[in-house]
Amino acid sequence: MPTPLRRDGDLSRRTFLLATGGLTLTAALAACTPGATTASPSGSATPAPWSPPAEPMTFPKGYTWGASTSAFQIEGALTADGRGASVWDTFAALPGKIADDSTGDPAADQYHRYADDVALMSSLGLGAYRFSISWSRVLLTGAGEVNQAGLDYYRRLVDELLGAGIRPTITLFHWDLPQALQDAGGWASRDTAERFADYAGVCFEALGAAEADWLTLNEPKTHAFVGHWYGVHAPGLRSPDTAAAAVHHQLLAHGLAVQRFRDSGAPGRIGAALNLIPVIATEPDYPEAATFTDARENRLFLDPILKGTYPDDAVGDQPGQLPADPAAFLELQQPGDLEVISAPCDLLAIQYYGVTGVDGIGNTVDIAPTSAATWQQIDPQGLYDLLVRLKDEYPAIPLIITENGIPDPTPDITVDDPDRIAFLRSHFQQAARAIGDGVPLEGHYVWSLLDNFEWAEGYTQRWGIVAVDFATQERTPKASAGFFTDVIAANSVNRD
Ligand code: IFM
């Protein structure tokens, strides 16, 4: 059984982080990479954390620098050109579900402003732009007749990107399931996977000629768990068994879409985008709960896609497991499903936000500074650990980081964002370090290009490197956008 991630110096690092509790995030991030050995309170020497070198860390030629968004979070225009409703339209309209009672309208209105936004991307020097397609713009009820006007929007966007020399990275599903499919059972129903494959086929036919990277699913874990188990995201369900079904049927949808992609002969590449999180046992004598948490958070998604097997310790009634019925989960799996799910991909997209500690009885423990998103425990070295783990434990596959970022500390428009610069710098450094150690990492996308609708947090969390005034739709690049532009131009990251 694989062990949860632990690394030398963890305990001392936690002690150190406690000691930095009064620092700002920037100071804590800077302090996380000192050059000297740190001393524990008992005075014994502990291993020094890794330090970036004095000279710039250079990335391989052709390394992709990009920024990411998703349809419901930025497009607005919820009824334009006949768009159908998604589960997020329904959920956001329910009282009390969104922190500021907002909806996906107007968001950043990219549906109408895409040309200006592409010009903005050019001015920042981006090599790639990751966006998602709204399924219910293309197929209003998730299936049946194509809504040409909706599909044409994405064709225009792709053309604009290609014209600007920016590679499109296209996500097919970023949580906005057509409401009509939810009404028919949603991801609890196997049929949704088939509908997804048909929808993917429509997109490949319309846009597949473009040299692009395609991502089937965005964070199937978050959609399954937060939307179907915790009830905090659309569709707002609270059933671990439904969450388990949403896991399997999303993964099946991924595999079916990969098959369609191959059949289409499209020239681009395809994979899935998984949010992965190093899990660190805070009670080393009782590591089981951390092992189960690792199974639930990471291996439940990595293993079927990359190895064609499900881990046997992710689902069950032990602390850290997805508390669904393992027999029912097994029953969902039909002969041949895992073969479909593990259809060879061209890349694996990773979304990295931080680490988590887990105690002996499965509770989450803060072992690193958090951002305004309290679930986010910031640990740049965790990115390195994760990348090396993927190289060591899984079949070789090109990797790209398709999300990495933090929110501003307050809901107010912010253009001076030193915390984000420190965050990005330290994560770019760890990415370069991993490449130096043989990890086949090919690109890094920040989350996000623009301030946007942050799901249940509405507009109260701003994750963009470009500020958006939602009343006027004015865009203002933050200081971090300038920092990112410099990194892209140099294709390297400085120590500080
Ligand atoms: O905004 C989200 C995104 O949609 C998926 N990954 C995490 C981001 C920040 O919460």
Side-chain angles (χ1 to χ4, degrees):
M1 182 188 287
T3 49
L5 292 180
R6 291 188 48 208
R7 47 180 187 258
D8 293 340
D10 271 336
L11 287 172
S12 62
R13 215 164 50 85
R14 270 198 304 285
T15 307
F16 171 74
L17 289 165
L18 283 178
T20 62
L23 298 182
T24 64
L25 186 53
T26 309
L29 275 166
C32 277
T33 52
T37 300
T38 53
S40 71
S42 65
S44 59
T46 55
W50 177 82
S51 296
E55 62 279 6
M57 301 182 79
T58 301
F59 291 85
K61 198 166 178 293
Y63 195 71
T64 302
W65 294 105
S68 296
T69 61
S70 88
F72 195 78
Q73 292 181 273
I74 55 146
E75 283 180 355
L78 298 183
T79 53
D81 293 326
R83 174 184 175 277
S86 77
V87 290
W88 269 98
D89 296 76
T90 310
F91 188 73
L94 296 172
K97 298 296 183 193
I98 309 297
D100 55 1
D101 285 328
S102 60
T103 69
D105 224 357
D109 195 30
Q110 189 167 84
Y111 194 76
H112 296 116
R113 295 165 196 271
Y114 72 92
D116 288 347
D117 283 347
V118 173
L120 174 64
M121 294 174 216
S122 277
S123 73
L124 297 180
L126 296 189
Y129 176 54
R130 172 176 172 239
F131 62 93
S132 77
I133 296 180
S134 157
W135 188 342
S136 61
R137 275 194 203 284
V138 174
L139 299 162
L140 309 184
T141 59
E145 206 179 314
V146 172
N147 177 34
Q148 199 55 47
L151 191 54
D152 284 348
Y153 165 68
Y154 296 104
R155 202 192 305 268
R156 290 195 297 276
L157 174 58
V158 166
D159 286 348
E160 195 77 23
L161 288 166
L162 293 174
I166 297 172
R167 185 177 177 90
T169 297
I170 309 173
T171 311
L172 286 164
F173 180 66
H174 198 122
W175 307 347
D176 46 356
L177 189 75
Q179 183 59 44
L181 290 185
Q182 185 62 40
D183 296 342
W187 289 110
S189 160
R190 190 177 172 91
D191 189 57
T192 300
E194 300 289 345
R195 300 288 70 75
F196 179 78
D198 292 345
Y199 152 66
V202 169
C203 296
F204 299 146
E205 197 184 315
L207 308 170
E211 273 293 342
D213 286 341
W214 290 84
L215 301 174
T216 52
L217 307 174
N218 173 76
E219 299 184 5
K221 172 175 67 184
T222 311
H223 187 55
F225 293 1
V226 187
H228 298 76
W229 173 16
Y230 310 154
V232 171
H233 279 186
L237 306 178
R238 291 177 190 270
S239 157
D241 285 311
T242 308
V247 168
H248 183 65
H249 293 144
Q250 283 185 93
L251 292 176
L252 183 62
H254 156 81
L256 292 170
V258 172
Q259 289 182 339
R260 291 290 177 104
F261 187 72
R262 301 294 175 223
D263 294 347
S264 78
R269 307 188 299 175
I270 193 160
L274 303 182
N275 52 328
L276 302 170
I277 182 166
V279 178
I280 294 158
T282 61
E283 293 176 36
D285 290 341
Y286 302 97
E288 288 80 10
T291 301
F292 293 142
T293 305
D294 175 56
R296 184 193 76 203
E297 295 288 316
N298 300 313
R299 289 183 278 115
L300 182 58
F301 301 89
L302 286 167
D303 288 14
I305 290 177
L306 297 177
K307 294 181 174 171
T309 55
Y310 274 118
D312 60 9
D313 56 347
V315 177
D317 57 9
Q318 297 300 306
Q321 292 184 319
L322 168 59
D325 177 3
F329 183 56
L330 206 60
E331 248 172 57
L332 298 166
Q333 300 166 34
Q334 295 189 5
D337 280 4
L338 279 160
E339 224 176 301
V340 173
I341 292 170
S342 60
C345 289
D346 305 305
L347 50 89
L348 176 70
I350 299 153
Q351 323 221 123
Y352 179 77
Y353 287 94
V355 297
T356 189
V358 170
D359 70 12
I361 55 169
N363 295 316
T364 298
V365 181
D366 280 0
I367 55 166
T370 54
S371 71
T374 49
W375 52 264
Q376 181 177 28
Q377 297 189 38
I378 298 170
D379 183 356
Q381 185 179 317
L383 175 60
Y384 172 83
D385 294 341
L386 171 65
L387 292 168
V388 170
R389 179 191 191 186
L390 292 170
K391 171 174 82 71
D392 289 348
E393 294 183 16
Y394 288 91
I397 185 164
L399 304 174
I400 49 174
I401 297 165
T402 44
E403 287 189 22
N404 188 215
I406 52 168
D408 291 323
T410 73
D412 308 325
I413 294 183
T414 307
V415 290
D416 186 19
D417 55 347
D419 288 353
R420 183 173 290 107
I421 292 175
F423 178 97
L424 293 176
R425 186 195 301 284
S426 57
H427 286 76
F428 294 162
Q429 288 166 343
Q430 295 289 347
R433 177 187 175 200
I435 294 168
D437 287 347
V439 171
L441 182 64
E442 298 188 351
H444 204 132
Y445 295 56
V446 301
W447 183 270
S448 175
L449 176 68
L450 302 171
D451 289 341
N452 57 44
F453 176 80
E454 174 56 18
W455 308 115
E457 304 301 333
Y459 298 101
T460 66
Q461 276 181 16
R462 294 175 172 271
W463 290 76
I465 56 170
V466 174
V468 177
D469 180 332
F470 297 110
T472 63
Q473 291 300 335
E474 190 186 351
R475 273 84 162 130
T476 310
K478 302 180 189 179
S480 59
F483 163 76
F484 194 32
T485 297
D486 291 346
V487 168
I488 296 170
N491 200 33
S492 67
V493 59
N494 292 337
R495 183 168 65 177
D496 41 39

